[in-house]
Amino acid sequence: MKNLSVPVQYLRGVGPARARMFNFAGIETAEDLLSWIPVRYEDRTKFLPIASLSEGDRCVVKGKISASGKRPVRKRGFSLFEVIVSDGRGAISIKFFNQPYMSNILKEGRTAVFFGRVSLDKYNGFLTMLNPEIEIMGSGEDELIHSDRIVPVYRRIDKISGRMIRKTVFMFLSESPEMREMIPNEILKKYGFPEISEALKEIHFPSVPPGVDPEAFVRILHERETVAQKRMAYGEFFVFQAGMKQARIDNARVSSSKDIKITPRLKERVIKILPFKPTQAQKKALGEIVRDIVAPRRMNRLLQGDVGSGKTIVALQAMIVLVENGYQAAIMAPTELLAEQHFIGISRLLSNSPYRVGFLSSSVKGNSRNKFFENLASGEIQLVVGTHSLIQKGVEFKNLGLAVIDEQHRFGVSQRVMLGEKGFEPDILVMTATPIPRSLAMTLYGDLDVSIIDQMPPGRIPVKTVVKSESGREEVFSLVREKLKAGEQVYVVCPLVEESEQSDLTAATETCSRLQDIFPAAGVGLLHGRMSPEEKTLVMEDFRKGNLQVLVTTTVVEVGIDVPSATVMIIEHAERFGLSQMHQLRGRVGRGLRPGLCVLMVAGKGTREAAARLRVMSESNNGFVIAEKDLEIRGPGDYLGARQSGAADFHFGNLVKHFSLLADARQDVSDLFDQGGISRNAKKLLLESFSKKWGDKAGFYSSG
Ligand code: ADP
Ligand code: MG
């Protein structure tokens, strides 16, 4: 008997050529094929009377072919074949473009079913269907697959049509392949879930429950709310959460051999570096972090908080705890610019402290680089700030006790693993300024503890956000003029242009020279991804010092900078930006005492989705709210995709629609593992399945 691990090549109807196309799309086994779920379903149980059709209907008609013929086409190499189909009461013309073989299939006198969209023939004003899917009646088992049922519609894979996929799936399922059940029986019972084989059959070839209208059932299918769909989603979450749970267990076992003492002297020092009173949220976060540092297990913590909520200073305090205990601590940023920013900020905060701070990026070269490595290995450097360079091979620490990773989205898992290999099992603190909705944090960082700073330092006035169209530009410019006169500074962000980095640059360059003309007295600077780190630093410094009052940037450059007199952020083509991205950019203004303003310039009409994003931006200033909305509007796939988080992706599960199932699975797995309600063997299977699916991609799994 076949099982789910059979390679697709050995499925009926799939030879080496198709197998290659499947493989290229990531479909290696029958199981992968069954995870290629329908993009939608079509109710093909009801045939509409041809006489009742009207333009725009997506429908199924059944009738006899009463006439057929080739139609002349002007262009060489093109063909058009037409049949007239009648059901006794009405007739319709059906055309096939460039499918000459249809003349062999659609012979006069045959009865066939057509699924497609009714349109109006521009030339003669009659109703027609162009390139519908067809099924000849009375020709064998295929009619059972493609008609007279709720039919799954699949996205095509290369040259393999959706119809071909449907047939392949159908034939495989009808062989009753063996499937391994991952969900324990009691849990299936608890939720009233069907067994896996039943569920997969229902996902691909749903049967309408008795008494339910097929059309209504299709709607439920599209909402992904049938019991089969929920079961498969749950099953996927269950396996995922098993992996996460095991990671948490493993992690708790990794003992950290560090000897950390919190003395009154240390407490005093940690507080002394603060030039202000910490917020309640900062205190709480630091408390959680320090508790982890002291605990005899390794810390794996995510620190979430909006831009400007004061994460860096909390991280720095944690670093001091390590340094005071004789260990080294590192903080790493994703870009040179951010690393430098941290270095400057931290050096300033520590200017009256005895700690020795080092800096490494790719711009530290030659002799000073060698010197740096020496000092790092000897322990001469206690606190180090840098970029990815810090975790490259050959960089040796004396005793790294804590690694703080800023803006984790750009750090891949492998990088975190490499960091772990730096020895001494450093505690790990990941900071992110893009708050992640709880639902996602739970899945992506299932093995991480989470601290949240959800409070802004006092005195910060929320940034006001307005949406303007091109017709409001003059108004915006005169406002900018006033701000510049008052000595304030302005960012102008140009969006990513799809085509290339080059056109990206062109757009920014043009904006820059236009603004130079409009504001001749203000220095207008340009920052873009093609500049060398040295050039970037120079421009940044000029902006920070106020030599430049306006800074035009492309999004290639992370504007991770802290310039208190920057009060205005203009985002060009705001309709092209994601919510979280805009929110992040907005956080760069209003960091001083003067109120910030964010202008979202919108060109053209944009999509409804874009309009929704802009509305959210002008209504909320809270990163956590925005993250939730972002997830809601874009859906998790896009949301995560835009972050390139290498996050877990689910085939059956949808984080928005099935969120409560995710939470259920987490709880169920946790209970089962904790109470020993699962056999060793079942556990082993679950974890194998987990690593097969997510082992090297799941957020933070490989931390142990
Ligand atoms: P984040 O890293 O979360 O974006 P930062 O740590 O860079 O935020 O802090 C933003 C700004 O707010 C910095 O200038 C910092 O010195 C200041 N700051 C942080 N915490 C407080 C506080 N409790 N009170 C006043 N200012 C603060
Ligand atoms: Mg920061």
Side-chain angles (χ1 to χ4, degrees):
M1 197 163 37
K2 280 188 178 158
N3 65 33
L4 287 185
S5 52
V6 57
V8 277
Q9 180 167 354
Y10 302 119
L11 299 181
R12 267 169 68 194
V14 182
R18 282 193 178 126
R20 261 195 305 279
M21 295 179 207
F22 273 130
N23 292 348
F24 195 72
I27 298 177
E28 309 265 348
T29 63
E31 181 168 16
D32 298 336
L33 179 63
L34 294 184
S35 304
W36 189 258
I37 61 168
V39 283
R40 62 190 168 80
Y41 299 86
E42 256 175 41
D43 174 13
R44 295 185 185 172
T45 60
K46 282 187 217 129
F47 305 119
L48 283 188
I50 292 175
S52 75
L53 299 181
S54 48
E55 189 187 356
D57 286 348
R58 255 204 92 79
C59 62
V60 190
V61 299
K62 182 176 177 178
K64 205 174 201 162
I65 297 163
S66 57
S68 71
K70 289 209 173 76
R71 286 303 201 100
V73 184
R74 284 227 185 93
K75 254 187 168 155
R76 274 172 62 101
F78 290 87
S79 74
L80 192 64
F81 176 69
E82 179 181 22
V83 294
I84 304 295
V85 174
S86 80
D87 62 358
R89 298 249 183 131
I92 184 169
S93 130
I94 295 180
K95 298 191 186 73
F96 297 88
F97 189 63
N98 279 355
Q99 301 176 58
Y101 49 87
M102 282 296 174
S103 58
N104 299 326
I105 303 168
L106 297 174
K107 295 251 162 73
E108 282 170 38
R110 282 193 174 162
T111 296
V113 180
F114 302 86
F115 327 100
R117 196 185 173 78
V118 178
S119 58
L120 209 59
D121 188 323
K122 271 185 296 200
Y123 296 100
N124 56 22
F126 290 131
L127 291 180
T128 184
M129 254 191 204
L130 183 64
N131 301 332
E133 214 184 291
I134 63 151
E135 207 55 58
I136 306 288
M137 300 312 278
S139 66
E141 73 172 359
D142 272 15
E143 0 175 330
L144 298 174
I145 306 179
H146 307 290
S147 67
D148 231 355
R149 63 159 66 243
I150 288 182
V151 169
V153 179
Y154 300 90
R155 199 148 29 92
R156 66 178 304 131
I157 295 172
D158 199 341
K159 291 201 173 81
I160 310 173
S161 68
R163 192 173 192 277
M164 182 67 215
I165 294 173
R166 185 188 302 142
K167 188 165 173 177
T168 310
V169 171
F170 186 89
M171 292 196 301
F172 177 68
L173 286 174
S174 58
E175 289 176 59
S176 307
E178 192 187 345
M179 299 184 192
R180 200 176 267 155
E181 183 58 75
M182 290 285 176
I183 308 177
N185 244 323
E186 319 84 83
I187 289 186
L188 289 180
K189 241 190 262 148
K190 172 166 129 188
Y191 294 104
F193 284 153
E195 291 238 351
I196 183 159
S197 49
E198 166 75 12
L200 277 172
K201 219 178 104 236
E202 284 296 319
I203 283 204
H204 291 280
F205 294 93
S207 52
V208 185
V212 176
D213 173 50
E215 236 172 273
F217 194 61
V218 166
R219 276 198 297 276
I220 301 176
L221 280 162
H222 288 166
E223 287 300 315
R224 305 237 219 159
E225 274 177 359
T226 68
V227 70
Q229 287 169 316
K230 287 197 214 158
R231 188 237 113 101
M232 290 310 294
Y234 177 91
E236 206 170 20
F237 294 153
F238 190 80
V239 171
F240 184 78
Q241 295 293 8
M244 287 292 147
K245 173 76 181 173
Q246 191 58 43
R248 284 199 300 277
I249 294 170
D250 291 348
N251 195 44
R253 274 200 210 114
V254 177
S255 60
S256 96
S257 45
K258 287 190 294 290
D259 181 19
I260 304 283
K261 293 208 170 57
I262 309 291
T263 60
R265 188 185 92 114
L266 182 150
K267 273 192 181 158
E268 198 200 350
R269 292 217 152 170
V270 166
I271 292 167
K272 228 177 75 188
I273 63 163
L274 285 182
F276 36 63
K277 255 182 75 179
T279 62
Q280 221 32 54
Q282 282 173 315
K283 271 197 213 159
K284 180 157 175 274
L286 182 64
E288 290 164 350
I289 293 165
V290 171
R291 210 181 317 129
D292 280 2
I293 291 175
V294 174
R297 67 177 189 90
R298 174 168 163 193
M299 169 164 75
N300 236 344
R301 188 170 279 277
L302 179 69
L303 179 59
Q304 294 200 34
D306 254 341
V307 172
S309 61
K311 297 181 295 296
T312 312
I313 200 114
V314 170
L316 181 62
Q317 289 180 296
M319 290 165 82
I320 305 282
V321 172
L322 271 294
V323 171
E324 281 289 329
N325 277 280
Y327 294 90
Q328 288 170 304
I331 181 165
M332 294 190 300
T335 64
E336 303 262 337
L337 217 59
L338 280 169
E340 233 155 90
Q341 182 87 30
H342 276 315
F343 181 63
I344 292 166
I346 287 174
S347 303
R348 200 181 294 142
L349 283 167
L350 298 181
S351 55
N352 294 319
S353 307
Y355 311 113
R356 299 180 299 271
V357 186
F359 177 72
L360 180 74
S361 77
S362 58
S363 55
V364 178
K365 293 196 175 89
N367 234 355
S368 40
R369 196 175 183 87
N370 294 338
K371 191 89 194 115
F372 171 89
F373 287 140
E374 245 168 64
N375 288 339
L376 195 64
S378 70
E380 171 65 24
I381 294 175
Q382 299 170 299
L383 274 162
V384 55
V385 184
T387 57
H388 302 198
S389 321
L390 274 180
I391 56 168
Q392 263 144 29
K393 286 220 158 57
V395 181
E396 239 176 87
F397 290 83
K398 175 165 180 250
N399 57 359
L400 181 62
L402 170 65
V404 178
I405 303 174
D406 193 8
E407 307 293 338
Q408 65 82 24
H409 293 306
R410 295 165 192 234
F411 272 92
V413 181
S414 58
Q415 285 166 317
R416 204 179 64 146
V417 173
M418 274 173 83
L419 191 67
E421 286 164 0
K422 289 281 156 205
F424 305 98
E425 294 149 3
D427 283 324
I428 291 176
L429 180 67
V430 178
M431 299 199 291
T432 176
T434 323
I436 296 158
R438 265 194 68 76
S439 56
L440 289 183
M442 259 178 59
T443 59
L444 300 182
Y445 315 114
D447 70 327
L448 280 188
D449 299 306
V450 179
S451 291
I452 291 177
I453 303 184
D454 54 2
Q455 192 180 18
M456 287 304 217
R460 192 80 37 91
I461 308 158
V463 177
K464 189 178 164 208
T465 300
V466 294
V467 180
K468 292 279 176 195
S469 65
E470 210 45 49
S471 64
R473 189 173 288 279
E474 269 317 306
E475 195 189 326
V476 172
F477 279 166
S478 61
L479 203 138
V480 166
R481 206 165 280 125
E482 267 170 48
K483 298 274 182 189
L484 293 176
K485 234 184 258 163
E488 299 176 27
Q489 289 171 286
V490 178
Y491 292 105
V492 179
V493 179
C494 299
L496 198 80
V497 179
E498 292 283 307
E499 302 89 74
S500 69
E501 209 178 312
Q502 184 56 48
S503 41
D504 226 34
L505 184 53
T506 314
T509 314
E510 273 165 14
T511 305
C512 183
S513 62
R514 191 156 55 107
L515 292 175
Q516 262 159 359
D517 292 344
I518 297 172
F519 306 112
V524 181
L526 177 64
L527 199 62
H528 60 77
R530 291 264 179 106
M531 291 161 80
S532 71
E534 293 81 18
E535 289 173 311
K536 285 182 200 165
T537 311
L538 280 180
V539 174
M540 278 312 311
E541 273 311 305
D542 271 349
F543 188 64
R544 206 197 313 275
K545 287 184 197 135
N547 300 343
L548 297 173
Q549 262 190 295
V550 178
L551 185 64
V552 178
T553 76
T554 60
T555 45
V556 181
V557 175
E558 190 67 31
V559 199
I561 40 186
D562 195 0
V563 180
S565 54
T567 56
V568 182
M569 160 86 41
I570 298 176
I571 301 181
E572 296 287 344
H573 288 283
E575 73 279 2
R576 296 192 197 156
F577 285 79
L579 256 182
S580 301
Q581 197 183 9
M582 280 192 276
H583 178 64
Q584 185 125 17
L585 288 167
R586 174 169 68 178
R588 299 298 162 197
V589 295
R591 305 194 76 165
L593 296 171
R594 282 180 278 197
L597 174 70
C598 174
V599 182
L600 305 175
M601 291 300 306
V602 181
K605 268 176 92 185
T607 61
R608 196 176 336 153
E609 215 188 277
R613 283 200 297 272
L614 298 172
R615 198 161 48 244
V616 172
M617 278 297 289
S618 45
E619 281 168 5
S620 178
N621 252 298
N622 182 322
F624 289 93
V625 171
I626 293 202
E628 288 289 349
K629 292 280 182 200
D630 203 4
L631 177 64
E632 221 171 85
I633 293 173
R634 285 202 280 172
D638 294 345
Y639 178 88
L640 295 174
R643 274 172 185 64
Q644 301 164 343
S645 58
D649 41 14
F650 299 105
H651 293 290
F652 299 98
N654 177 307
L655 292 178
V656 171
K657 293 190 167 145
H658 301 137
F659 171 56
S660 64
L661 291 175
L662 176 69
D664 289 342
R666 182 179 162 94
Q667 188 63 50
D668 292 339
V669 166
S670 211
D671 291 349
L672 274 178
F673 277 43
D674 289 345
Q675 293 155 15
I678 183 164
S679 73
R680 275 181 86 117
N681 207 30
K683 203 175 193 173
K684 198 170 141 244
L685 280 179
L686 273 174
L687 295 175
E688 269 170 20
S689 174
F690 173 84
S691 36
K692 213 165 79 200
K693 282 190 183 129
W694 294 288
D696 50 353
K697 321 193 242 184
F700 284 87
Y701 177 65
S702 25
S703 60

